[in-house]
Amino acid sequence: ADRHIIEYIKAIGQKEGIESMRILIAGGGSAGHVNPAISIAKEIKKHDSSVEILFIGSKKGIEKDLVPREGFDIEFIDVEGFKRPINLKAIKTLFVMMKGLAQTKRIIRKFKPQIAIGTGGFVSGPAIFMAHRYGCRIMIHEQNAYPGVTNRMLSRYADVCMVSFDANSELLSKAKKLVKTGNLIDESFCRSEGYKQNTGKKTIVIIGGSQGAMTINNTVVDMINNHMKKDEFELIFAPGKRHYSEVIDAVKNTDGCIHIQDYIYDRQTVYKNCDLMVARGGAITISEIMAMGKPSIIIPSPFVPDHAQEKNAEQIKDKGACEVIYDDKEFTGKKLYDSISGLLNDDGRRMEIAGKAYSLGIRDANDRVYKEYEEVKNEIMGIGK
């Protein structure tokens, strides 16, 4: 039965009168993997509404909420990430992975996709591997400067590997084709003409990610309470929904220039009107900053596997496109305040960082990714041969 399914998937694209492509998309666990997957699906649907798209995810991941909210179908498998060193937990994870592979096999045999797209995260491992076994064309997208272990393993099966930074090319070189597309971000971030500084009071935006970051929150509270001067600058601070109440309770400085929000919903407008951004080193956040050409201070998380955020930040710091503060024992409110004040008081330095960030920004990533998809689709359908 498996052999017949494989032959069917390989041959179906060559049949005349094909009504629509069927695409399997897998990427999950964190928003950093799920949002690019959703962006790819929306971009493909924008060009061809007849495409059938099915996501594979985990009920433990954020994809269980985000994918249905965007109107896409999703099937769930059991999967866990491997932990080192090898122990009883790792052995249990192996059995869970075998179960996930069997579940993926059933999904693929029913859906019969011609193309499978992976955006990283441990859920994409069994999904994309099994899709490869069934003869699907494989596309993967890597958001970070240092590829995650799943994409490193899957790259050998990829017809196209799409990267966002130059640094990750070597570790993904086993793919048949390696192309730099950049990260898919909202089109509103891509319409920026670069940084124009405010003529009046400067505005700072500080974010620690969608869920917030305790060390950043504590440091910013210390900066607000003990180092900021009255009416010095406008501060928009988003500590995350989980920590919002405790941050509000901890802030003693009630200066009218301090605005604390649980989450910045109108990110495009807020980012556009600020003079300096302070943020974690997530790949999507950095891509948004570069697309808009904003001066920034990046505080990479030390808790991300493979130090991926540090490598993201160092990629653009080495090109003069941001400043970096490391989240370690020397990360204090005083240090953060001095870094912010230093940039606010140096218009030339701020403009220099902004200009270099803008020059590195990729504002047509959506088009680049769709172009790669279209080439794979046309190969399956025998167009252009």
Side-chain angles (χ1 to χ4, degrees):
D2 288 356
R3 180 172 59 82
H4 291 309
I5 293 291
I6 291 171
E7 293 303 317
Y8 174 78
I9 292 174
K10 285 181 176 179
I12 193 168
Q14 306 294 340
K15 293 183 178 180
E16 294 184 5
I18 185 170
E19 294 182 358
S20 67
M21 297 296 295
R22 287 183 296 280
I23 304 169
L24 189 75
I25 300 181
S30 70
H33 294 304
V34 180
N35 284 332
I38 292 172
S39 295
I40 291 172
K42 291 168 73 173
E43 186 68 20
I44 292 172
K45 273 286 190 182
K46 183 176 77 174
H47 291 273
D48 183 0
S49 60
S50 70
V51 170
E52 296 179 47
I53 295 177
L54 177 67
F55 280 76
I56 284 184
S58 165
K59 288 184 178 179
K60 295 180 180 179
I62 196 170
E63 60 269 25
K64 73 180 186 299
D65 299 318
L66 296 184
V67 171
R69 188 178 300 170
E70 295 293 339
F72 293 106
D73 294 330
I74 184 169
E75 296 277 357
F76 298 104
I77 63 173
D78 293 307
V79 64
E80 294 178 359
F82 271 106
K83 303 292 184 182
R84 291 186 289 266
I86 300 299
N87 51 28
L88 289 176
K89 173 68 173 175
I91 295 173
K92 175 180 175 291
T93 299
L94 182 61
F95 281 103
V96 172
M97 179 175 289
M98 297 301 293
K99 182 179 180 182
L101 285 167
Q103 292 167 330
T104 304
K105 180 178 177 179
R106 289 194 291 272
I107 293 168
I108 291 174
R109 290 178 66 177
K110 180 180 179 182
F111 184 60
K112 299 181 178 65
Q114 296 109 328
I115 299 174
I117 303 173
T119 58
F122 51 79
V123 73
S124 69
I128 300 304
F129 173 74
M130 191 57 70
H132 161 72
R133 288 286 305 275
Y134 273 84
C136 289
R137 297 295 182 93
I138 302 299
M139 303 177 69
I140 61 176
H141 183 273
E142 176 57 51
Q143 301 85 45
N144 292 292
Y146 189 83
V149 63
T150 302
N151 274 348
R152 295 202 303 270
M153 293 173 63
L154 292 174
S155 64
R156 69 188 65 189
Y157 309 121
D159 294 276
V160 181
C161 179
M162 300 171 286
V163 301
S164 304
F165 294 87
D166 293 321
N168 51 18
S169 300
E170 182 179 347
L171 293 171
L172 300 170
S173 59
K174 291 181 181 179
K176 292 179 182 177
K177 180 181 181 182
L178 189 67
V179 58
K180 184 177 178 181
T181 61
N183 276 309
L184 293 92
I185 57 178
D186 192 279
E187 291 181 359
S188 58
F189 291 104
C190 301
R191 292 194 287 267
S192 171
E193 296 179 358
Y195 170 57
K196 295 180 178 63
Q197 61 180 323
N198 292 319
T199 55
K201 187 181 294 183
K202 300 295 185 289
T203 299
I204 316 302
V205 172
I206 302 180
I207 53 175
S210 58
Q211 298 300 316
M214 280 298 298
T215 52
I216 289 181
N217 291 347
N218 293 337
T219 301
V220 173
V221 168
D222 177 31
M223 180 186 79
I224 292 172
N225 288 340
N226 302 309
H227 303 288
M228 277 184 64
K229 301 178 181 66
K230 185 176 177 62
D231 294 329
E232 187 172 7
F233 50 77
E234 295 280 346
L235 173 62
I236 300 173
F237 173 38
K241 293 184 178 182
R242 287 187 303 173
H243 310 297
Y244 175 73
S245 296
E246 61 194 69
V247 166
I248 287 291
D249 292 340
V251 170
K252 300 172 185 175
N253 186 341
T254 57
D255 189 331
C257 295
I258 297 170
H259 313 278
I260 302 176
Q261 306 174 11
D262 60 351
Y263 183 81
I264 298 176
Y265 294 95
D266 189 10
R267 293 184 304 130
Q268 297 90 333
T269 301
V270 173
Y271 292 5
K272 177 182 177 181
N273 294 325
C274 79
D275 293 278
L276 178 64
M277 289 195 61
V278 180
R280 277 300 198 200
I284 303 301
T285 298
I286 286 180
S287 295
E288 291 171 349
I289 289 171
M290 290 192 298
M292 299 184 79
K294 286 292 177 181
S296 65
I297 298 172
I298 304 299
I299 308 168
S301 171
F303 308 111
V304 175
D306 298 317
H307 304 285
Q309 288 202 5
E310 293 179 12
K311 289 165 184 172
N312 291 345
E314 287 164 0
Q315 266 279 291
I316 62 172
K317 177 192 174 186
D318 291 345
K319 296 178 174 65
C322 75
E323 290 193 353
V324 174
I325 299 177
Y326 292 97
D327 188 348
D328 54 26
K329 62 182 180 181
E330 296 180 2
F331 179 43
T332 64
K334 177 70 163 58
K335 184 171 185 176
L336 179 60
Y337 173 77
D338 288 344
S339 297
I340 290 173
S341 297
L343 280 175
L344 290 186
N345 294 324
D346 189 342
D347 292 347
R349 171 67 176 148
R350 208 167 57 253
M351 293 297 292
E352 178 187 14
I353 292 174
K356 290 181 178 178
Y358 189 78
S359 70
L360 294 174
I362 296 178
R363 286 167 284 279
D364 62 344
N366 294 35
D367 293 335
R368 295 187 191 190
V369 169
Y370 183 76
K371 176 177 177 291
E372 297 305 321
Y373 158 77
E374 196 167 39
E375 287 184 6
V376 172
K377 179 193 73 173
N378 288 345
E379 288 177 6
I380 291 173
M381 299 179 71
I383 297 174
K385 292 184 179 180

